[in-house]
Amino acid sequence: MISDNIDSKLTVTMNGIVKRFPGVVANDGVNFEARAGEVHALLGENGAGKSTLSNVLTGLYRPDEGTVSLNDEVVHFDSPRIALERGIGMVHQHFRLVNSFTVAENIILGEQSSSLFMDTASAVERISALATQYGIAVDPSARIWQLSVGEQQRVEILKALYHGAKVLILDEPTAVLTPQEADALFTVLRSMVAEGRTVIFISHKLDEVMAVADRVTVLRAGKTVSTIECATTSTRELARLMVGRDVVFDRVIRANHAKPDNIVLQVSNIDATDDRGRQALKSISLTIGESEIVAIAGVAGNGQRELAEVISGMRPATRGTIAVNNEVVPNSRVRKAMTAGISHVPEDRLHTGLVADHSIEDNLILKSYRGAPISKMSVLRRRIIRAQAKETIEKYDVKTPDTITPIRLLSGGNVQKVLLAREFDSLPSVMVVSSPTRGLDVGAIENVRKRLVDAADSGVGVLLISEDLEEIFALADRILVMYEGSIVGNIPAAEANRESIGLLMGGGSLSAENN
Amino acid sequence: MKKFIKIATVVTAAALIFAACGSDSDSATDTTMAEATDTTMAEATSEAFTFTNFTPFEGGTVVNCAPADGGPIKAAWVYVGPINDGGWTQTHDAGRNYVQEQLGDKVITTYKENVPEGPQVEIVIDDLVKDGNTIIFGTSFGFQDAFIASAEKYPNVCFEFATGYTQKNNVSQFYGASEDTKYLSGIAAGAEAPEGAEIGVVAPFAIPEVIRGINGFVLGVQKVNPTATVKVVWTNTWFDPAIERKAAESLISAGVKAIASFQDSPATGEAAKVKGIGWVGYDSDQSVAFKDIWLTASTYDWGPYELAKIQAVIDGTWISGDYYGNLSDNFISIANYGSKVTQETKDLIASERERLTQAPSAEFTGPITAQDGTVKIAEGALPTYGELMSMDYQIKGITTDLPQK
Amino acid sequence: MQSPLRLERRLTQPKWLNWGVPLLSLLGALILGGIVLFATGKNPISVYARIVERGFASTDAFSRTLISATPFAFTGLAASVAFRMGLINIGGEGQLYLGTIGAAFAGIAFQDQPTAVIIATMIIFGMLFGGAWAAIVGILKAKFSTNEIITSLMLNYVAAIFLDYLIFNSSSYWRDPKSYGFPTGKRLTKNAYWNDISIGSIEIPFGFVVAVVAAVIVWFLYNRTRFGYEVGVIASSPNAARYAGIRARWKIITVMALSGALAGLGGASDVGDFRHVLDAKGVQISGYGYTGIVVAALARLNPLSAIFVAVFLGGLSNAGYALQGPDFPSGLVGTLQGLILFTAVAGEILTRYRIKRQNTIADGVIV
């Protein structure tokens, strides 16, 4: 239950935590301490052991060695539920929501209640109050499957707040928020620590850590590298601590310049509805030229997914046309869109772009299995499929023992390599790419961005849909901003700045800069 | 294989299966068996095989199916249902137990239960023959094809088939005049129901054997309650407690004042118990389990005939033929009465029983009028055996139609 | 409180599990069964010897096992085909009934034709009837998103009533107007019988050979063709199917029809191989369709394994009848059969999961 006053303040101490998985030591003697009243960032690359450490803290894993203490009392949590009873709540990177339930039902799920039925009405009221208090807009009666990834994460945050966590662990919470929303969240977090709560903020984004955290503990390869006061450090130093070398993301240097006048994709006056049948796209028009990278910035849930799906033929347009190389593509026909030269890298790599349970080689033919040389007279030619898969794995440097390994066993970076390999090898004219680096570590991000730039250099028009402004600024030639199903800004990257884009993403207007 | 399905779906509930199979079976038929013993033993030892109501097939020859080594006779029974079905199969197994008790170590009996009609029957018979069984009893009409095929395959094995019709040198057919006892049970139902009320019947298949029994039952009803009418619901199954119960419930909700079932399970009784309606059962005595609603039932005593035929194997006189038992040899009988049956009714049934013992099928003395008003058996006449066997019409007083016409 | 043991999904399945686990399962079943037998005063060794002898060991025992295995093979294949696409077709039972109706029709109608023609038309009509019956379920699911479990199950009852109607309550084409006393179907003439194929002294029902051929075809279809590939994508990830432009609707109808056609083929074999008549009651008592679900589950939806599982279950079923008797209640037989199935299922779980002693789950990013 939420309470305005935190009567007991919790200091979390983790000492010498060791957690082994078969073949991997995920945490190797990690020391960590978060005090009441501070935002403590846990910084590290993917695989550094941040998620494992937080899972140990919430009782999902039991450490092989080491102790967890609350206010100097050694505790053993058998489950996240018990941890939550002791005041430790977590917002996971992978949401734990029941898709067919409403927001309110999900939030009160697991709540101890004396009555048999869930008292949804009063819960909705309290959720709305919480949402208003922290400025998190979400419809308590919406069902989870109807929500975007970003909206779902807001539900997770609300859920932890609702259950009155004194120590709140957030696993990369800002990945789907606009800078403004991230700022709003930071305000929430600040007010929470002012109340005496503890916030553990997991991230690999340096700016963000510097913006919100009081102290930061850097993990690398399962070990604690350092714990420092943010006030006494810099992003450059944190980056070095995190990756073990100097890294700077700068604007990528392009070999070929964009030719916006050689239009490869023309989207004209597109309307479309979302899964709930509500209008998601309102008269969208845009063009992409040869070798041009056009970014769509926006908060998740403002129609980006629907736009990507309409362009790739997965979702019918209720109005408007799409043309590739000046030829109109039939509405809502995925295969026609594919043959017209549209390639699509969806945000949900594991379950939309790829079939997680299927082998690498089966996934590589997902778009080419219908014709020669992959199949002949409806029969798949396994030998050719395997030979091509081996070539692709080598060419794109996918780390895997063989071509029949299921996708789900690959690391995030390698999953994305397989997906991009297939899409690049289809020799598209246009690529629609959604959140291509979300959840990847620094090395993988560099690789993916390089591949996208290479594609653009070879003449492909790229539509980059991302919520990561850093990425957009690093790659895009031109930035479009989507808000509530419309394009509210069209700004050459060279003229854009974070603040103006962020303002547009949040529904503001730039009277001076509108064109 | 039905078992398999249950196991697969409830695989963790092995204990339940244990419990279900361990439940006590009713041994209520013992009384009727004791009565019949003497006549049987006397006749079984004569030179050529004779038995009351048994007629050898024309041109048939004696089949020697005794084991060559002179050891005990191995006899087997193949059942379509479980031995504790509270009906048909249970009474057959009572017959097997009777044979075993009477012959002691001269015979080794066995049985196979839950054998589905179809290819499994021949497989089971193959197994039984391999195990040395030389006389095999079949108790379900649907086994007939498999029994005939097996009889051709094993000419030195004697087969005894209940309720069938195909004649072979090593296949006997045995059954009995249950229409006579159904008539007696009809008297109990007619007396139980108010004057002119509707009475329900849950019946398996609209075939002569069953129609004949229902007609007998209705004649019994009309004996004491001339204006009563009878409604029949056909289940198209011999044994399916769920379907039987639904059929009974549909009759009860339609307002019948007494109900009879000619099915192999007591499911109709379960339905009748809920509403406290008098129930005439079939082929097993349920007077204890359903004492408040139980009227009586027509029952069979398979043991004496089966004993005689196995004795014939021992004597080397076994011959195939047609056995149609009746009240005179106690093949058919009437079960114990429930508390609802008055002394007056009991007395009437006793006197009618005596009449039918002297003159089997006498309840069908004409005039017998079919539903459509045509006179099927003329005034004062008795039906011939052929007329009885092919009876495919319902008599006046039954208000429901036969399913096909 | 939580148990200190928990199941954890295996990331990979070591090769040895494929043969090691079934062996261990069987061993486990034998030991558990031995305890039960010993407790009920039986000699486990002689009971097991009899199961092997009457189920599998001799050529004629094996011939009889193949008779019992044939319908299981068809319904097992039918269930596997549908389950592979995530369609829970519980309707194999009713589809098999329809197959018997179709095949009996062909067998009666074409009785003057040469045997090869009769058998071919029986197969075609059996598959058509069964397939069409199942396609109803597919169409309802594809067009109206009805739950196929419910519709396929309900259609089993409809099929049973229809079957009863044809034989018991009407003078239909199938019913023998001369049937004495008890209504039966028209018997096929001898030249319509599917004759066994003998290999040495083993008699193989023709239908069993058809089932093996069907299993190979299904295996090829699902593992080597575009059709099978598309079915695999739809089953594993509907979103990915949409993404790749694979239309699920037609596949749902086609796969259901294929599943029903295989069950219908089982019905054709039932008429042609064994009963030679439309046996309305007998085929319902047998419950082949429901057993097919067990076959498919034990075979892990692999059509080739389904043949072996069907033979195994056929032998187990026959051996079960052989064991039964006054001193061996059918409940004990059922318990033994249940133990064997139970350990098989448990073993199957162990190939996919492993038991962990700690309260951990492998959820975090490891690789």
Side-chain angles (χ1 to χ4, degrees):
Chain A
M1 297 303 99
I2 188 146
S3 59
D4 293 322
N5 297 308
I6 303 299
D7 4 299
S8 62
K9 300 179 176 181
L10 288 182
T11 295
V12 176
T13 315
M14 302 176 81
N15 231 321
I17 300 292
V18 176
K19 179 65 200 171
R20 298 181 194 93
F21 291 108
V24 184
V25 183
N27 283 167
D28 189 4
V30 174
N31 296 316
F32 174 77
E33 184 213 57
R35 299 175 198 136
E38 73 167 345
V39 175
H40 193 124
L42 202 48
L43 182 69
E45 288 193 83
N46 281 344
K50 300 172 307 224
S51 294
T52 304
L53 189 70
S54 58
N55 284 337
V56 166
L57 179 55
T58 57
L60 202 57
Y61 299 155
R62 188 171 292 176
D64 295 322
E65 288 169 33
T67 56
V68 178
S69 316
L70 291 182
N71 293 345
D72 298 329
E73 176 205 347
V74 175
V75 288
H76 302 280
F77 299 137
D78 281 333
S79 72
R81 189 188 180 123
I82 294 168
L84 187 56
E85 278 166 17
R86 295 295 301 269
I88 297 177
M90 171 133 187
V91 176
H92 287 272
Q93 209 174 346
H94 302 285
F95 314 130
R96 280 133 210 246
L97 299 169
V98 183
N99 272 332
S100 54
F101 281 17
T102 65
V103 169
E105 282 164 351
N106 267 284
I107 289 175
I108 61 180
L109 201 67
E111 186 184 25
Q112 300 287 0
S113 168
S114 52
S115 90
L116 187 60
F117 301 99
M118 293 194 276
D119 185 5
T120 324
S122 71
V124 165
E125 225 167 84
R126 281 176 25 222
I127 291 161
S128 302
L130 266 176
T132 320
Q133 184 185 342
Y134 294 114
I136 302 172
V138 89
D139 172 8
S141 62
R143 292 188 188 276
I144 297 301
W145 61 267
Q146 299 166 324
L147 301 183
S148 70
V149 174
E151 288 167 320
Q152 289 183 19
Q153 189 162 40
R154 287 176 223 162
V155 177
E156 282 281 17
I157 293 170
L158 267 179
K159 187 173 167 183
L161 292 174
Y162 180 90
H163 286 277
K166 289 169 201 149
V167 176
L168 185 69
I169 307 163
L170 297 123
D171 195 355
E172 302 192 9
T174 58
V176 292
L177 303 181
T178 60
Q180 280 84 356
E181 278 179 315
D183 284 344
L185 175 71
F186 295 161
T187 313
V188 173
L189 300 183
R190 297 303 331 170
S191 68
M192 281 167 65
V193 295
E195 282 173 9
R197 289 181 220 254
T198 313
V199 171
I200 298 171
F201 187 91
I202 301 172
S203 179
H204 58 229
K205 291 182 186 166
L206 306 169
D207 295 345
E208 200 168 277
V209 166
M210 291 298 285
V212 71
D214 299 303
R215 290 195 301 161
V216 55
T217 294
V218 183
L219 294 184
R220 189 167 74 231
K223 293 195 170 87
T224 313
V225 178
S226 175
T227 298
I228 24 181
E229 302 272 341
C230 282
T232 67
T233 186
S234 65
T235 48
R236 193 164 286 267
E237 188 194 0
L238 287 179
R240 193 175 49 74
L241 288 172
M242 183 165 82
V243 295
R245 62 188 161 88
D246 284 314
V247 177
V248 196
F249 286 128
D250 281 327
R251 186 163 167 73
V252 182
I253 310 301
R254 298 273 298 278
N256 268 4
H257 287 290
K259 303 184 185 76
D261 296 334
N262 295 358
I263 291 173
V264 290
L265 176 75
Q266 174 131 33
V267 173
S268 316
N269 305 315
I270 288 288
D271 284 359
T273 54
D274 65 11
D275 290 338
R276 281 199 274 183
R278 297 183 317 194
Q279 186 162 17
L281 298 181
K282 295 166 191 160
S283 197
I284 297 275
S285 295
L286 62 89
T287 61
I288 298 176
E290 194 184 320
S291 287
E292 189 181 24
I293 299 180
V294 175
I296 295 212
V299 182
N302 276 293
Q304 298 97 314
R305 186 162 64 93
E306 285 80 4
L307 179 61
E309 289 184 356
V310 167
I311 294 174
S312 61
M314 291 171 73
R315 180 179 295 275
T318 51
R319 189 172 72 97
T321 56
I322 287 161
V324 174
N325 296 327
N326 295 321
E327 275 192 45
V328 171
V329 182
N331 185 12
S332 191
R333 300 287 295 278
V334 170
R335 283 151 73 174
K336 296 278 185 200
M338 270 156 48
T339 47
I342 296 173
S343 151
H344 179 200
V345 178
E347 179 178 6
D348 182 0
R349 298 190 274 272
L350 277 180
H351 301 291
T352 302
L354 298 166
V355 185
D357 285 336
H358 286 196
S359 66
I360 293 172
E361 58 182 49
D362 273 9
N363 272 287
L364 284 173
I365 62 167
L366 187 59
K367 287 187 170 173
S368 55
Y369 73 92
R370 287 186 184 91
I374 301 302
S375 65
K376 191 176 173 185
M377 307 273 287
S378 289
V379 176
L380 297 178
R381 297 158 85 185
R382 281 283 161 202
R383 204 170 300 165
I384 293 174
I385 292 168
R386 185 149 306 169
Q388 289 197 350
K390 281 193 176 134
E391 251 175 61
T392 309
I393 284 173
E394 213 158 292
K395 182 169 151 201
Y396 287 89
D397 193 29
V398 180
K399 299 251 177 355
T400 171
D402 51 37
T403 62
I404 55 168
T405 302
I407 290 292
R408 65 180 159 81
L409 298 185
L410 301 180
S411 69
N414 281 307
V415 169
Q416 189 65 309
K417 278 182 195 169
V418 172
L419 178 48
L420 289 173
R422 188 186 68 213
E423 295 305 312
F424 287 141
D425 285 354
S426 69
L427 303 176
S429 303
V430 181
M431 288 191 83
V432 179
V433 184
S434 297
S435 303
T437 60
R438 181 168 182 240
L440 302 187
D441 62 30
V442 173
I445 291 172
E446 279 181 321
N447 181 295
V448 169
R449 289 184 183 173
K450 185 175 176 312
R451 294 282 177 197
L452 287 175
V453 168
D454 286 350
D457 285 350
S458 71
V460 177
V462 177
L463 184 65
L464 171 69
I465 297 175
S466 179
E467 293 149 63
D468 183 347
L469 284 185
E470 192 183 355
E471 177 157 290
I472 286 175
F473 278 100
L475 295 178
D477 297 308
R478 192 148 51 89
I479 301 172
L480 308 179
V481 182
M482 272 189 89
Y483 180 72
E484 292 192 339
S486 302
I487 290 180
V488 294
N490 183 350
I491 309 164
E495 297 167 19
N497 62 54
R498 252 164 209 280
E499 288 64 37
S500 58
I501 299 293
L503 192 58
L504 288 169
M505 284 165 74
S509 69
L510 303 173
S511 45
E513 278 160 281
N514 259 350
N515 35 344
Chain B
M1 213 54 204
K2 267 204 287 190
K3 268 259 140 54
F4 253 19
I5 302 149
K6 283 179 204 152
I7 291 155
T9 41
V10 202
V11 75
T12 47
L16 285 180
I17 295 166
F18 250 137
C21 296
S23 70
D24 278 353
S25 51
D26 268 274
S27 52
T29 42
D30 286 0
T31 48
T32 48
M33 282 194 292
E35 292 165 28
T37 317
D38 307 79
T39 46
T40 329
M41 293 305 286
E43 270 150 351
T45 47
S46 52
E47 276 289 296
F49 178 78
T50 55
F51 191 76
T52 324
N53 297 318
F54 178 83
T55 323
F57 294 142
E58 248 172 75
T61 55
V62 169
V63 178
N64 181 10
C65 45
D69 61 3
I73 303 284
K74 287 187 153 187
W77 278 253
V78 185
Y79 304 136
V80 71
I83 56 162
N84 56 359
D85 66 353
W88 183 258
T89 297
Q90 192 164 330
T91 61
H92 274 288
D93 203 49
R96 181 188 66 81
N97 280 318
Y98 170 74
V99 167
Q100 185 71 65
E101 276 163 30
Q102 293 297 314
L103 290 175
D105 54 13
K106 285 194 276 185
V107 66
I108 298 169
T109 65
T110 187
Y111 66 82
K112 304 292 175 189
E113 60 180 324
N114 287 321
V115 179
E117 293 164 3
Q120 191 75 52
V121 183
E122 274 187 72
I123 293 173
V124 164
I125 293 174
D126 283 346
D127 252 317
L128 289 169
V129 172
K130 204 169 191 181
D131 286 340
N133 292 283
T134 55
I135 177 164
I136 299 174
F137 295 85
T139 66
S140 178
F141 181 85
F143 290 171
Q144 186 163 254
D145 289 351
F147 264 69
I148 298 306
S150 297
E152 280 165 11
K153 198 155 133 196
Y154 303 112
N156 294 318
V157 174
C158 296
F159 290 91
E160 292 279 347
F161 199 80
T163 74
Y165 54 85
T166 307
Q167 309 185 348
K168 282 194 84 67
N169 203 45
N170 60 336
V171 182
S172 277
Q173 296 289 348
F174 65 108
Y175 198 35
S178 72
E179 59 274 13
D180 291 1
T181 39
K182 282 171 184 156
Y183 166 77
L184 299 179
S185 69
I187 295 174
E192 162 69 14
E195 190 82 29
E198 243 182 355
I199 290 170
V201 172
V202 179
F205 295 98
I207 60 175
E209 169 199 329
V210 176
I211 295 172
R212 185 164 78 233
I214 294 172
N215 286 343
F217 174 83
V218 175
L219 290 168
V221 168
Q222 290 170 346
K223 175 88 182 166
V224 290
N225 195 342
T227 54
T229 57
V230 173
K231 263 185 134 148
V232 185
V233 172
W234 302 96
T235 60
N236 282 339
T237 179
W238 299 111
F239 175 77
D240 188 328
I243 292 178
E244 293 170 30
R245 179 160 185 158
K246 271 195 202 105
E249 282 167 351
S250 76
L251 285 166
I252 291 166
S253 63
V256 300
K257 299 296 179 224
I259 193 164
S261 59
F262 301 131
Q263 303 280 160
D264 296 347
S265 97
T268 300
E270 304 281 353
K273 203 174 184 175
V274 176
K275 292 279 155 82
I277 289 172
W279 171 47
V280 168
Y282 179 56
D283 73 19
S284 84
D285 187 340
Q286 300 284 355
S287 57
V288 179
F290 294 86
K291 58 176 184 290
D292 295 337
I293 56 157
W294 180 251
L295 299 173
T296 184
S298 163
T299 60
Y300 301 98
D301 185 8
W302 306 95
Y305 170 76
E306 292 171 343
L307 174 66
K309 292 306 288 272
I310 291 171
Q311 184 64 49
V313 173
I314 296 171
D315 297 341
T317 60
W318 190 93
I319 192 162
S320 66
D322 190 40
Y323 170 72
Y324 200 70
N326 56 31
L327 280 165
S328 72
D329 62 356
N330 286 316
F331 172 75
I332 46 167
S333 191
I334 202 99
N336 292 329
Y337 298 113
S339 55
K340 279 184 168 240
V341 184
T342 63
Q343 190 56 47
E344 188 191 353
T345 306
K346 285 178 191 170
D347 292 342
L348 178 61
I349 292 174
S351 72
E352 285 297 297
R353 178 179 186 151
E354 188 52 37
R355 180 166 76 97
L356 295 186
T357 305
Q358 301 307 321
S361 320
E363 74 274 21
F364 285 106
T365 308
I368 298 295
T369 314
Q371 274 179 312
D372 61 8
T374 54
V375 176
K376 292 288 188 176
I377 299 169
E379 174 103 39
L382 271 176
T384 65
Y385 184 68
E387 279 173 338
L388 267 182
M389 288 303 111
S390 60
M391 192 175 280
D392 59 355
Y393 56 88
Q394 296 184 135
I395 61 165
K396 224 179 165 83
I398 301 173
T399 54
T400 46
D401 288 333
L402 282 175
Q404 85 275 13
K405 264 286 164 192
Chain C
M1 287 312 291
Q2 294 198 342
S3 147
L5 297 177
R6 61 186 302 157
L7 287 174
E8 183 175 293
R9 185 167 177 175
R10 284 179 189 276
L11 291 173
T12 53
Q13 298 181 6
K15 283 265 186 279
W16 66 268
L17 287 172
N18 287 332
W19 52 267
V21 166
L23 276 184
L24 283 176
S25 304
L26 193 62
L27 194 67
L30 293 180
I31 292 169
L32 284 174
I35 294 168
V36 172
L37 288 169
F38 196 75
T40 50
K42 305 278 182 294
N43 177 351
I45 304 294
S46 61
V47 169
Y48 290 147
R50 195 167 161 85
I51 291 179
V52 172
E53 182 213 331
R54 288 305 166 87
F56 308 96
S58 66
T59 51
D60 59 335
F62 193 69
S63 300
R64 292 197 291 271
T65 286
L66 291 182
I67 293 174
S68 293
T70 302
F72 300 163
F74 284 113
T75 54
L77 280 175
S80 302
V81 161
F83 292 2
R84 281 278 280 263
M85 202 175 112
L87 291 170
I88 312 300
N89 177 14
I90 308 292
E93 186 77 19
Q95 291 143 22
L96 183 134
Y97 299 168
L98 265 290
T100 63
I101 295 171
F105 167 77
I108 298 163
F110 300 104
Q111 59 181 10
D112 299 329
Q113 303 293 321
T115 300
V117 174
I118 305 178
I119 292 180
T121 51
M122 285 176 76
I123 287 177
I124 291 166
F125 274 82
M127 292 182 78
L128 272 180
F129 275 50
W133 196 248
I136 297 172
V137 177
I139 291 166
L140 287 173
K141 182 170 179 76
K143 300 280 176 206
F144 307 108
S145 301
T146 49
N147 183 324
E148 77 276 13
I149 300 177
I150 295 168
T151 49
S152 64
L153 185 66
M154 299 305 275
L155 281 179
N156 285 349
Y157 298 112
V158 178
I161 292 166
F162 183 52
L163 201 53
D164 278 352
Y165 171 78
L166 291 181
I167 297 302
F168 297 114
N169 300 336
S170 68
S171 11
S172 71
Y173 183 78
W174 288 264
R175 178 162 170 181
D176 182 359
K178 298 189 295 288
S179 51
Y180 180 92
F182 193 85
T184 53
K186 281 181 196 149
R187 188 157 273 282
L188 300 194
T189 51
K190 280 258 189 319
N191 62 329
Y193 287 20
W194 298 12
N195 288 320
D196 292 353
I197 292 167
S198 302
I199 294 185
S201 51
I202 298 179
E203 298 272 306
I204 305 172
F206 181 73
F208 186 80
V209 178
V210 175
V212 172
V213 172
V216 172
I217 293 173
V218 167
W219 180 88
F220 186 82
L221 186 68
Y222 271 49
N223 291 274
R224 287 287 181 272
T225 69
R226 274 159 43 178
F227 178 87
Y229 179 82
E230 290 175 342
V231 166
V233 172
I234 294 168
S236 298
S237 179
N239 279 337
R242 200 163 65 92
Y243 166 76
I246 301 169
R247 305 223 159 188
R249 282 187 175 195
W250 263 111
K251 283 288 173 315
I252 289 172
I253 299 171
T254 324
V255 167
M256 276 305 297
L258 177 63
S259 172
L262 286 165
L265 193 49
S269 149
D270 184 71
V271 174
D273 276 311
F274 308 118
R275 297 184 206 262
H276 312 304
V277 66
L278 183 61
D279 180 358
K281 275 284 90 120
V283 73
Q284 290 181 42
I285 294 174
S286 304
Y288 300 133
Y290 297 112
T291 310
I293 296 164
V294 179
V295 174
L298 288 178
R300 301 166 72 177
L301 311 188
N302 180 325
L304 301 180
S305 309
I307 297 292
F308 290 98
V309 172
V311 171
F312 177 67
L313 290 192
L316 209 55
S317 162
N318 283 1
Y321 282 109
L323 279 179
Q324 247 196 50
D327 52 350
F328 209 109
S330 66
L332 188 54
V333 174
T335 306
L336 280 184
Q337 290 170 332
L339 280 173
I340 291 169
L341 291 184
F342 178 79
T343 53
V345 172
E348 155 66 15
I349 289 170
L350 284 185
T351 59
R352 281 188 287 148
Y353 297 85
R354 63 177 150 225
I355 296 173
K356 282 290 280 185
R357 255 201 63 242
Q358 285 188 346
N359 187 19
T360 59
I361 60 168
D363 193 77
V365 178
I366 296 171
V367 180

